[in-house]
Amino acid sequence: MSAHTDQDPDVLITSPDPMHPANHISELCRKFYDLGWVTGTGGGVSIRKEDLVYLAPSGVQKEMMQPEDMFVMDWKTKEYLRRPLNYKPSACTPLFLAAYTHRGAGCCIHTHSQWAVLVTLICESSPDWATRTCFSIKEIEQIKGISRGGSGSDEIAEGGRKLGNLGFFDTLRIPIIENTAHEEDLTGALEQAMLAWPECAAVLVRRHGVYVWGKDVGQAKTQAESLDYLFQLAVRMHGMGLKWT
Amino acid sequence: MSAHTDQDPDVLITSPDPMHPANHISELCRKFYDLGWVTGTGGGVSIRKEDLVYLAPSGVQKEMMQPEDMFVMDWKTKEYLRRPLNYKPSACTPLFLAAYTHRGAGCCIHTHSQWAVLVTLICESSPDWATRTCFSIKEIEQIKGISRGGSGSDEIAEGGRKLGNLGFFDTLRIPIIENTAHEEDLTGALEQAMLAWPECAAVLVRRHGVYVWGKDVGQAKTQAESLDYLFQLAVRMHGMGLKWT
Amino acid sequence: MSAHTDQDPDVLITSPDPMHPANHISELCRKFYDLGWVTGTGGGVSIRKEDLVYLAPSGVQKEMMQPEDMFVMDWKTKEYLRRPLNYKPSACTPLFLAAYTHRGAGCCIHTHSQWAVLVTLICESSPDWATRTCFSIKEIEQIKGISRGGSGSDEIAEGGRKLGNLGFFDTLRIPIIENTAHEEDLTGALEQAMLAWPECAAVLVRRHGVYVWGKDVGQAKTQAESLDYLFQLAVRMHGMGLKWT
Amino acid sequence: MSAHTDQDPDVLITSPDPMHPANHISELCRKFYDLGWVTGTGGGVSIRKEDLVYLAPSGVQKEMMQPEDMFVMDWKTKEYLRRPLNYKPSACTPLFLAAYTHRGAGCCIHTHSQWAVLVTLICESSPDWATRTCFSIKEIEQIKGISRGGSGSDEIAEGGRKLGNLGFFDTLRIPIIENTAHEEDLTGALEQAMLAWPECAAVLVRRHGVYVWGKDVGQAKTQAESLDYLFQLAVRMHGMGLKWT
C-alpha cells in the first residue's frame, strides 16, 4: 500500500545530503563507536522521517556502516521497503518502533555504554525496591539537557501540565527493566515502562544498556549524551561515596 | 551606534582565515567536544576582538558548530549585530561579558567537564567552610600554566605586586559559587567572586562546571586545559587518599 | 612448492582494495592503537586468506603500519613468501598459526590491553584455583557478541551440540595461561588451552594480554572488542565490590 | 663555527619529508596531545640528528605546532641556528641536552602525563626511602618495550655486560627526582640520576612528569608509550591493592 513500493529501493538510501537519514545514521554510528556505545556491533540507531523508518542492521561494524547497509521500513504497513541481502534486521526494531508509537519520537538510540550498565548494577545491589527499578538523580546541571517524556517541545505548556526540559532542582528518573534472553522480548516491558513513567526520556535495561529517544536526531543525540554523562558521573560519585539524590 | 550596523551581518562571520573568531570558535567547539567538555550541547565559548563579541549559540551540537551559527554582539552597545534565526543566544552571555568587563579578557570558555563537577562535589562534602567554597592545590607542575587573575601578562610587574603565572610552590585557588535554576542568574555571584578573588583565573560552579578566561584564545585554552588537568588529578588523588595542599 | 614463489613478492601486498589483507591489517593496526591495544609496538594482527598468511612484523609502530611492512607466509609450507628487510617476523607467529590450525580461524588478534592484564591480575589474587586459571562472567548482554569456539558459525547446529553465539544466561569462560620469558614459548600452553577449552574464543596470558580469533576479520574484531568491553566492565565491577558470576 | 651559519635558517626546518625532524616533531606533538601528555602547552619533544638539535618551543599549543615554530641548535657550539621571534626556547632544553650528552640519545620526550605524576605521588607516600625515590615494577609483558639505559641497541653484547631490552622477569627501575621551582634547575639532579642509574631509560620528576629518551624517535616513542602504559597500570593496580614488585 506504500507509495514507495514501485521505486528502486536504493533511491531510499541515496542522497548527497549529509542530513538524509541513510547518511546521518552512518555518521552517527561512527560517532557512537568513538564514544564506546556500540562496541562489538552492539547497540543501534533508527530515524523515522515522515512515513519511512530507517534502521541500522544487525551485526554491522558500526564505525564502518554505509548507507547501502540500511533497512528501510514503511511506517504505516511495517513492511520493509529495502532489505540488504547480507544483513539481518536489527533485533532492536520493535523497541525503536515502540518509541515512535508511544512517544511520537523521530529518532531512537540504543547503546551498550558501560556507564548505563554499571548504573543498573549499582541500583541492582540496593536493598530498596524503588532504587533497584529506577535510576534517580538531581541537582546536576546536565539534567537540563533532558526533556519531559523525551520528545516534548521545550516551548509549549498544555492544560496546566508542566512541559519542556527538566530544571536543575527537578529529579531525573529513568526506569530500569530486566534483561531477557532475546532482545525482541524486551518490547512488552519497555512499552509498559513508557506508559508507567510518562515523563521518562529513556529506559535502562539491566546488565545491557539504554534506549533513548527524541523528537528528532538532534534531541535524541543531546539526550543520549546528557544521560550518558549523568550515568558516568553517578558511577564516579558512587565510587567516592557521594549520594545521587 | 556601531560602525558595523550598516553591514551585511554575514560579513562578520565570513573569512578564509582559520584564526578569525567565527572559524576559531567552531574549531574550538570540535576540540572541546572531543575532550568531553561540551557534551549534550552543554558549555560554551566566546571571543572578544576589538569591539566585537562572538558567541556560540544555545543548544547547538558543539562538534557540528559552523560560523553561520554564530551570534555577534557590539561590545560597546551590547546589541546583537548578527542573530541566527534558528538559535537562541546562549544563557552564558552575561557570564562571558563579566570576564570581559572585570578582567579585560579576550576569550571565555565554559565547560561541563565532569572533573570540574566532581571537584565541587568533593569540596561540598568537606566539614570546613573554606574548603567547601574554594578549590586549592599546590606543588603540581601544571599549576604553572595559570596566570594570576587569568588574563595577566606573564612579563610585566607593576607597583611591586607580583604578576605573571603562578609558580610551583604557589597555591592555586579557584572559588566555587552555588548553582542557580537559571544560568543567567549566576552573573551576580560570578562577578562577586571575580572581585573577592582578584588572583583567580576561573570560577567553579557547584554541580555544574567551570568558567575560565584569558587575555586571548591561546591563554584561555591553555588555562582551561591546565585547570581541567588539575581537577582530574585532584579527583584521582582524592580516590587514593592523597591530599591536594 | 608454493604457486606464489615465482612472483614478485610485492604483488602479494599491493592492491587498491581496502579489504585486501595487507591494507586491512594496516587499517586495523591504526584502530587498535587508538583503542590502546598495541601501545609501544606491543600486540599484533594476522589474517589467513586461502593459502596465504599475512602478519604484521615485530617492533613496528602500529599506527604507522604500511602494507610494505607486511610478512606473507605460505600456509601449507610455512615458508615466508615475503620478508621486509627492515623488520623481524613477529614472535606471535606460532600463536597465530595455532588459531588457524586448531580453530580453523581466518584472523587472530593479540592485544596488550590493560583491561585484559588487570583481569588476569584480579584472578591471580583469588584463593580459588579455578578462578585463578579462568576468567568467567555471565548475564551481561555483550556476552552475546562471542561465538562458541571463537570461529563457529552462528547458524549451523551439528550432532545435537549447541553451536552459535553465547546467550545472555550462558557463562563466558576464557582460560588464563602463565606468561613465559619469550613469547614463542607460549605456544604449547596456548594450544593446550585451545584443546582443553573447546568453547573458548580466546586465551588470556597472565600479566601480558589476550589472543582472540575468528573465522574472518569481522568476527575476530567483534570478539576482540566484546571481550575487551567485558574485561573492562569486570575490572570496574571488581572496583565496586560487585561479583562477575 | 657551524657549517650552517651562512644558510637561511628556514632551510633547516623546510622539507617535504614527513620524517624530517621539523615535520616529525610537529606530528609527534599532535599525537602526544591526543594522549594527554602535553596538555596546556606542557611537556616537550626534541630530536638530535647529526650535529643539529631540533626543539619545540616554550608555550606553544602542542596540537597546533608547525615546523616554523621550531628552534634549531648547533650540537657542537650549543648556539641557536634558528630562533622563531614569537617564542621563547623551551626551559626543557638543558634536560634534553643531558640525554644527548650522557646517553648518546637521538630523541628525548618530556610528558606531564597524569600517570607519571600519580606514580610519583604514590611512591612519595611510602614510608620506605628506596620506594620514595625509585619506581620499580616487574613481571608485566610491556616491560620488554624498554631497553637498558634507554638508548642501547637490543643486539650487541659488550664485555660480558647484558645489553638489549629488559626481559619479563627483570625489574624495571625509574629513579624519581624532586621538582624545582624552575625547570632548568632540574638539570643537575637529572644528570646525577642518569649517572647513578646507568640502566634507567627515563627519569621521573616528582609532581611534574617524566623525561624519556631513545637512540632515535622510534625507540624514544616506544619507550615513552611503554612507560606510560606501565605507570597507568601501576596506578590501577595500586587502586586494587595489588603490589607492583
Side-chain angles (χ1 to χ4, degrees):
Chain A
M1 305 293 135
S2 161
H4 301 280
T5 45
D6 298 330
Q7 282 185 320
D8 171 5
D10 284 0
V11 170
L12 296 166
I13 51 105
T14 309
S15 166
D17 178 7
M19 292 296 106
H20 183 281
N23 298 326
H24 207 162
I25 286 178
S26 303
E27 176 61 19
L28 289 171
C29 284
R30 272 184 281 283
K31 285 188 185 178
F32 296 168
Y33 180 83
D34 287 340
L35 293 171
W37 290 0
V38 294
T39 297
T41 82
V45 191
S46 170
I47 295 175
R48 178 174 70 87
K49 198 167 177 189
E50 291 148 25
D51 58 347
L52 294 175
V53 177
Y54 293 81
L55 298 136
S58 178
V60 74
Q61 311 268 336
K62 293 293 188 296
E63 86 282 14
M64 307 210 294
M65 177 82 193
Q66 298 295 333
E68 305 85 88
D69 303 333
M70 206 73 58
F71 282 76
V72 186
M73 183 187 267
D74 186 300
W75 168 240
K76 289 179 192 145
T77 65
K78 308 294 185 282
E79 275 164 34
Y80 286 109
L81 302 175
R82 184 176 190 279
R83 298 182 66 128
L85 296 177
N86 46 339
Y87 287 110
K88 287 194 263 185
S90 170
C92 308
T93 305
L95 301 153
F96 293 147
L97 295 180
Y100 302 150
T101 304
H102 298 289
R103 296 298 172 105
C107 176
C108 191
I109 297 167
H110 170 46
T111 90
H112 284 193
S113 167
Q114 295 203 4
W115 308 113
V117 173
L118 286 167
V119 150
T120 70
L121 287 165
I122 293 169
C123 289
E124 187 181 43
S125 70
S126 166
D128 171 44
W129 180 83
T131 305
R132 277 203 306 279
T133 56
C134 180
F135 167 73
S136 306
I137 194 165
K138 67 173 184 173
E139 293 180 31
I140 300 292
E141 180 71 8
Q142 197 74 35
I143 290 171
K144 292 160 78 172
I146 312 292
S147 74
R148 294 171 199 280
S151 47
S153 152
D154 40 52
E155 302 281 356
I156 310 147
E158 189 183 76
R161 188 171 153 244
K162 273 172 78 184
L163 278 182
N165 275 27
L166 292 171
F168 177 70
F169 294 107
D170 291 322
T171 299
L172 170 79
R173 290 188 182 86
I174 307 292
I176 306 171
I177 63 174
E178 300 304 320
N179 202 26
T180 52
H182 301 288
E183 191 131 17
E184 50 273 35
D185 297 342
L186 287 170
T187 315
L190 186 109
E191 290 181 320
Q192 236 178 306
M194 284 174 167
L195 297 171
W197 301 83
E199 284 219 343
C200 81
V203 174
L204 281 159
V205 185
R206 181 106 55 217
R207 297 168 167 274
H208 179 154
V210 68
Y211 280 87
V212 191
W213 54 84
K215 65 184 170 196
D216 53 24
V217 177
Q219 194 183 42
K221 177 169 169 286
T222 298
Q223 296 187 152
E225 287 182 3
S226 296
L227 283 171
D228 203 58
Y229 172 104
L230 291 164
F231 296 153
Q232 185 176 23
L233 189 73
V235 170
R236 288 172 167 161
M237 287 173 73
H238 179 80
M240 299 192 304
L242 299 170
K243 296 224 175 282
W244 305 339
T245 46
Chain B
M1 311 301 131
S2 159
H4 301 280
T5 46
D6 298 330
Q7 281 186 319
D8 171 6
D10 284 0
V11 170
L12 296 166
I13 51 106
T14 309
S15 165
D17 178 7
M19 292 296 106
H20 182 281
N23 298 327
H24 206 163
I25 286 178
S26 303
E27 176 61 20
L28 289 171
C29 284
R30 271 183 282 284
K31 286 189 185 178
F32 296 168
Y33 180 82
D34 287 340
L35 294 170
W37 290 0
V38 293
T39 297
T41 82
V45 192
S46 169
I47 295 175
R48 178 173 70 87
K49 199 168 176 187
E50 291 148 25
D51 59 347
L52 294 176
V53 178
Y54 293 81
L55 299 136
S58 178
V60 74
Q61 311 268 335
K62 292 294 187 296
E63 85 282 14
M64 306 211 294
M65 178 81 193
Q66 298 296 334
E68 305 86 88
D69 303 334
M70 207 74 58
F71 282 77
V72 186
M73 183 186 267
D74 186 300
W75 167 239
K76 289 179 193 148
T77 65
K78 307 295 185 281
E79 275 164 36
Y80 286 109
L81 303 175
R82 185 177 189 277
R83 299 183 65 128
L85 295 177
N86 46 339
Y87 287 110
K88 288 193 264 185
S90 170
C92 309
T93 305
L95 302 153
F96 293 146
L97 295 180
Y100 302 148
T101 304
H102 297 289
R103 296 297 172 106
C107 176
C108 190
I109 297 167
H110 170 46
T111 91
H112 284 193
S113 167
Q114 295 203 4
W115 308 113
V117 172
L118 286 166
V119 150
T120 70
L121 287 165
I122 293 169
C123 289
E124 186 182 43
S125 71
S126 166
D128 171 45
W129 181 82
T131 306
R132 276 204 306 280
T133 56
C134 180
F135 167 72
S136 306
I137 193 166
K138 66 172 184 174
E139 292 180 32
I140 299 292
E141 180 71 9
Q142 197 74 35
I143 289 171
K144 291 160 77 172
I146 312 294
S147 74
R148 295 171 200 279
S151 45
S153 152
D154 41 55
E155 302 279 357
I156 309 149
E158 186 183 76
R161 189 173 152 242
K162 273 172 76 183
L163 277 183
N165 275 26
L166 293 171
F168 178 71
F169 293 106
D170 290 322
T171 299
L172 170 79
R173 290 189 182 85
I174 307 292
I176 306 171
I177 63 174
E178 300 304 318
N179 201 26
T180 51
H182 300 288
E183 192 132 15
E184 49 273 35
D185 297 341
L186 288 170
T187 316
L190 186 109
E191 291 181 320
Q192 237 178 307
M194 284 174 167
L195 297 171
W197 301 83
E199 284 220 343
C200 80
V203 174
L204 282 159
V205 185
R206 182 105 57 214
R207 296 168 168 273
H208 180 152
V210 67
Y211 280 86
V212 191
W213 53 85
K215 64 185 168 194
D216 53 24
V217 178
Q219 193 183 44
K221 178 170 169 286
T222 297
Q223 296 188 151
E225 288 182 4
S226 295
L227 284 171
D228 203 57
Y229 173 104
L230 291 164
F231 297 153
Q232 186 176 22
L233 189 74
V235 170
R236 288 173 167 160
M237 287 173 73
H238 179 81
M240 299 193 304
L242 299 170
K243 296 224 175 283
W244 305 337
T245 45
Chain C
M1 313 308 132
S2 160
H4 300 281
T5 45
D6 299 329
Q7 281 186 321
D8 170 6
D10 284 0
V11 170
L12 296 166
I13 52 106
T14 310
S15 165
D17 178 7
M19 292 296 106
H20 182 281
N23 298 326
H24 206 162
I25 285 178
S26 303
E27 176 62 18
L28 289 171
C29 284
R30 272 184 281 285
K31 285 188 185 180
F32 296 168
Y33 181 83
D34 287 341
L35 293 170
W37 289 359
V38 293
T39 296
T41 82
V45 192
S46 169
I47 294 176
R48 177 173 70 87
K49 199 169 177 188
E50 292 148 25
D51 58 347
L52 294 176
V53 178
Y54 293 81
L55 298 136
S58 178
V60 73
Q61 312 267 336
K62 294 292 188 297
E63 85 282 15
M64 306 211 293
M65 177 81 194
Q66 298 295 335
E68 304 86 88
D69 303 334
M70 206 74 57
F71 281 76
V72 187
M73 181 187 270
D74 186 299
W75 168 238
K76 289 179 194 148
T77 64
K78 307 295 186 281
E79 276 165 35
Y80 286 109
L81 303 175
R82 183 177 191 278
R83 299 183 66 129
L85 296 177
N86 47 339
Y87 286 111
K88 287 193 263 186
S90 170
C92 308
T93 305
L95 302 152
F96 293 147
L97 296 180
Y100 302 149
T101 303
H102 297 290
R103 295 299 172 103
C107 176
C108 191
I109 297 166
H110 170 46
T111 90
H112 284 193
S113 167
Q114 295 203 2
W115 307 113
V117 173
L118 287 167
V119 150
T120 70
L121 288 165
I122 294 169
C123 289
E124 186 182 42
S125 70
S126 167
D128 172 43
W129 181 82
T131 306
R132 277 204 305 279
T133 56
C134 180
F135 168 71
S136 306
I137 193 166
K138 67 172 184 173
E139 293 180 32
I140 299 293
E141 181 71 8
Q142 197 74 34
I143 290 171
K144 291 160 78 172
I146 312 293
S147 73
R148 294 171 200 280
S151 48
S153 152
D154 39 54
E155 302 280 355
I156 310 149
E158 187 183 78
R161 187 171 154 245
K162 273 173 77 183
L163 279 183
N165 276 27
L166 293 171
F168 177 71
F169 294 108
D170 290 322
T171 299
L172 170 79
R173 289 188 182 84
I174 306 292
I176 306 171
I177 62 174
E178 300 305 319
N179 202 26
T180 51
H182 301 287
E183 192 132 15
E184 50 273 35
D185 297 341
L186 288 170
T187 316
L190 186 110
E191 290 180 321
Q192 235 179 308
M194 284 174 167
L195 297 171
W197 302 83
E199 285 219 342
C200 80
V203 175
L204 281 159
V205 185
R206 182 106 56 215
R207 295 168 168 272
H208 180 154
V210 68
Y211 280 85
V212 192
W213 53 85
K215 65 183 168 197
D216 53 24
V217 177
Q219 194 183 40
K221 177 169 169 287
T222 297
Q223 296 187 152
E225 288 182 3
S226 295
L227 284 171
D228 203 58
Y229 172 104
L230 291 164
F231 297 153
Q232 185 176 24
L233 189 74
V235 171
R236 287 173 168 161
M237 287 173 73
H238 179 80
M240 300 192 305
L242 299 170
K243 297 223 174 283
W244 305 338
T245 45
Chain D
M1 308 296 134
S2 160
H4 300 280
T5 44
D6 298 330
Q7 281 185 321
D8 170 6
D10 284 0
V11 171
L12 296 166
I13 52 106
T14 309
S15 166
D17 178 5
M19 292 298 105
H20 182 282
N23 298 326
H24 206 162
I25 286 178
S26 303
E27 176 61 18
L28 289 170
C29 283
R30 272 183 281 284
K31 286 189 185 178
F32 296 168
Y33 181 83
D34 287 341
L35 294 170
W37 290 359
V38 293
T39 298
T41 82
V45 191
S46 170
I47 294 175
R48 179 174 69 89
K49 200 169 175 187
E50 291 148 26
D51 59 347
L52 294 176
V53 178
Y54 293 80
L55 298 135
S58 178
V60 74
Q61 311 269 334
K62 293 293 188 296
E63 84 282 15
M64 305 210 293
M65 176 82 194
Q66 298 296 334
E68 303 87 90
D69 303 333
M70 207 74 58
F71 282 76
V72 186
M73 183 187 267
D74 186 300
W75 167 238
K76 289 179 194 149
T77 65
K78 307 295 185 281
E79 275 164 36
Y80 286 109
L81 303 174
R82 184 178 190 277
R83 298 183 67 129
L85 296 177
N86 48 337
Y87 286 111
K88 287 193 266 184
S90 170
C92 308
T93 304
L95 301 152
F96 293 147
L97 295 180
Y100 302 149
T101 302
H102 297 290
R103 296 298 172 105
C107 176
C108 190
I109 296 167
H110 170 45
T111 90
H112 285 192
S113 167
Q114 295 202 4
W115 307 113
V117 173
L118 287 167
V119 151
T120 69
L121 288 165
I122 293 170
C123 289
E124 185 182 44
S125 71
S126 167
D128 171 44
W129 181 83
T131 305
R132 277 204 304 279
T133 56
C134 181
F135 167 72
S136 306
I137 193 165
K138 68 172 182 172
E139 292 179 34
I140 299 293
E141 181 71 9
Q142 197 74 35
I143 290 170
K144 291 160 77 172
I146 311 293
S147 74
R148 294 172 199 279
S151 47
S153 152
D154 40 55
E155 302 279 356
I156 310 149
E158 187 182 77
R161 189 171 152 244
K162 273 173 77 183
L163 277 184
N165 276 27
L166 293 171
F168 178 72
F169 294 107
D170 291 322
T171 299
L172 170 79
R173 289 189 182 86
I174 307 291
I176 306 171
I177 62 174
E178 300 305 317
N179 202 26
T180 51
H182 301 288
E183 192 131 16
E184 50 273 36
D185 297 342
L186 288 170
T187 316
L190 186 109
E191 289 181 320
Q192 235 179 309
M194 284 174 167
L195 297 171
W197 302 83
E199 284 220 343
C200 80
V203 174
L204 282 159
V205 185
R206 183 106 56 216
R207 297 170 167 270
H208 179 153
V210 68
Y211 280 86
V212 191
W213 54 85
K215 64 185 166 194
D216 53 25
V217 178
Q219 194 183 41
K221 177 170 169 285
T222 297
Q223 296 187 152
E225 287 182 5
S226 295
L227 284 172
D228 203 58
Y229 173 104
L230 291 164
F231 297 152
Q232 185 176 23
L233 189 74
V235 171
R236 287 173 168 159
M237 287 174 72
H238 179 80
M240 300 193 303
L242 299 170
K243 296 224 175 282
W244 305 338
T245 46

